[in-house]
Amino acid sequence: MSAAYATFGLAPAMRAGGVLAGGAYQAHRDFVDFVVDGRPLLFRLSDLDAVSPLAADVPPAIFTAQVRALLLEAGAPLPGGRYVVYGCPECADLGCGAVTAVIERDGDDYVWRDFAWQTEERADLDLNGYHGMGPFRFRGEEYRAALRSLLDGTDPRTARRRVLLIGARVALLAKLAAALRTIGIGADIAHDAERVPPEELRGYGAVAFGRAAGPETRAAVRRAFARAGVDVAHVDGLAPIVPLLVAQIEHALDPTPAEGRRLTRLVTADGEAGVEVTSPCRVVLTAHRLDRLHRTHTRALFDGVLEPGHHRIPLDTRAVKGESFVVARATGSVLVEAMTR
């Protein structure tokens, strides 16, 4: 089988969850993405909301089975030697749709070919094939080394998906913790970190401070994490708005390398948003604000597919008056910015 060689690698990735407009929830998923010729394979599929089968929250035995299947140490799960490359991030059910491909050996090489969108037991390449994508030929040594690293203790999927919430407004923190747990992020509430054992502190990927947490409290928490020998992201809550805080925390927990993100920049000023994306994707902009009585207001600003590059999007100034914040979401990425006038 003729095909030019492509490089194969793996990188941590995230499917951003969140509390969406109208109160709906979207699950947070950490996974390992496939990197082909230095670029996430998922980016070649435009605006597909999906995760690889190498997800962080699957049981270890299933994760190991998925890796061994990609190494062709087990039979193909679908007819025709087809394997699921990306599936539904909510349930992983084939009925929701999945990207599949034939994976086979050619000598010492591994070849991925005949990519298709599949919702039934058999794929229809004429109707649902990703024509022009692949085939990809990977050198066996490189391919096996990357996948076996997931089984050898150098697993890039081991993101710390817990956050420590520090603040004085217990009712707000309880709502925030409940929202985070609903989308799959562990959350604990504490007044400070002085009495938290170091081994427990090492399980957190971020610490989030409410606006009521003073400089002394923040400094003490940072010292506690430093003594535990763990480097965590620090999140300063912008406003007591649960969807906004969830988005801030998700961004802090994002393990995806900068070069592997779709949404790379968000700037808001002078009645418009500056958004930069690295591949075609759907971008959703939402405004959150507090009125003078500290009531929360949410308004959708933009929802559309953007091509790679920088875009200037006019904003509805009625939605961003007062103390306002804009949340930008794309497949796998979320950014937050205070509205600047």
Side-chain angles (χ1 to χ4, degrees), residues 160-165 180 185-189 203-208 235 249 253:
R160 290 170 291 165
R161 301 172 63 210
R162 292 178 64 204
V163 58
L164 182 62
L165 307 177
L180 289 166
I185 296 176
D188 301 302
I189 301 170
Y204 293 107
V207 55
V235 179
I249 290 168
L253 291 174

Side-chain angles (χ1 to χ4, degrees), residues 6-271:
T7 62
F8 181 86
L10 302 170
M14 177 189 79
R15 188 266 192 154
V19 182
L20 307 180
Y25 290 91
Q26 179 173 283
H28 175 101
R29 301 293 303 277
D30 292 304
F31 65 101
V32 178
D33 200 5
F34 309 110
V35 180
V36 177
D37 284 337
R39 186 167 180 254
L41 182 63
L42 188 58
F43 285 16
R44 299 173 185 260
L45 299 169
S46 188
D47 188 43
L48 182 67
D49 182 17
V51 300
S52 82
L54 305 177
D57 56 349
V58 301
I62 295 178
F63 184 87
T64 298
Q66 297 284 11
V67 174
R68 297 202 180 283
L70 294 172
L71 288 166
L72 303 185
E73 295 175 1
L78 296 171
R82 304 193 71 83
Y83 295 77
V84 173
V85 179
Y86 294 107
C88 173
E90 297 289 343
C91 66
D93 192 291
L94 183 64
C96 292
V99 177
T100 67
V102 174
I103 301 179
E104 59 190 7
R105 290 284 297 270
D106 185 18
D108 192 49
D109 299 337
Y110 290 77
V111 177
W112 289 23
R113 62 175 177 84
D114 294 341
F115 289 83
W117 178 253
Q118 192 166 344
T119 57
E120 299 178 345
E121 191 71 8
R122 295 188 177 276
D124 185 335
L125 290 178
D126 292 332
L127 184 63
N128 296 314
Y130 285 98
H131 306 292
M133 182 171 172
F136 301 114
R137 176 182 292 271
F138 306 117
R139 289 180 171 85
E141 183 177 357
E142 178 184 57
Y143 182 89
R144 288 188 293 270
L147 287 169
R148 285 176 178 166
S149 71
L150 300 177
L151 308 177
D152 295 338
T154 54
D155 184 346
R157 76 185 180 119
T158 52
R160 290 170 291 165
R161 301 172 63 210
R162 292 178 64 204
V163 58
L164 182 62
L165 307 177
I166 304 290
R169 299 183 62 176
V170 177
L172 173 66
L173 295 180
K175 291 179 181 178
L176 175 58
L180 289 166
R181 292 167 187 154
T182 298
I183 66 172
I185 296 176
D188 301 302
I189 301 170
H191 179 69
D192 56 47
E194 291 297 322
R195 296 179 179 83
V196 182
E199 58 271 18
E200 186 173 341
L201 290 178
R202 296 186 189 106
Y204 293 107
V207 55
F209 299 101
R211 292 202 294 189
E216 292 183 2
T217 298
R218 295 168 186 249
V221 170
R222 288 183 169 90
R223 287 195 300 270
F225 275 98
R227 287 196 301 270
V230 59
D231 183 24
V232 297
H234 294 88
V235 179
D236 293 317
L238 292 173
I241 302 172
V242 169
L244 176 68
L245 296 172
V246 168
Q248 283 190 265
I249 290 168
E250 282 214 284
H251 174 68
L253 291 174
D254 189 352
T256 312
E259 63 275 12
R261 299 183 184 185
R262 273 192 165 128
L263 181 61
T264 57
R265 188 167 181 263
L266 171 65
V267 178
T268 57
D270 302 323

Side-chain angles (χ1 to χ4, degrees), residues 287-291 299 316-325 339 341:
H288 301 278
R289 70 177 179 88
L290 294 174
D291 62 20
R299 181 188 289 264
D316 182 352
T317 56
R318 294 172 300 172
V320 293
K321 59 186 177 182
E323 187 180 28
S324 301
F325 307 90
M339 185 62 192
R341 296 189 178 279

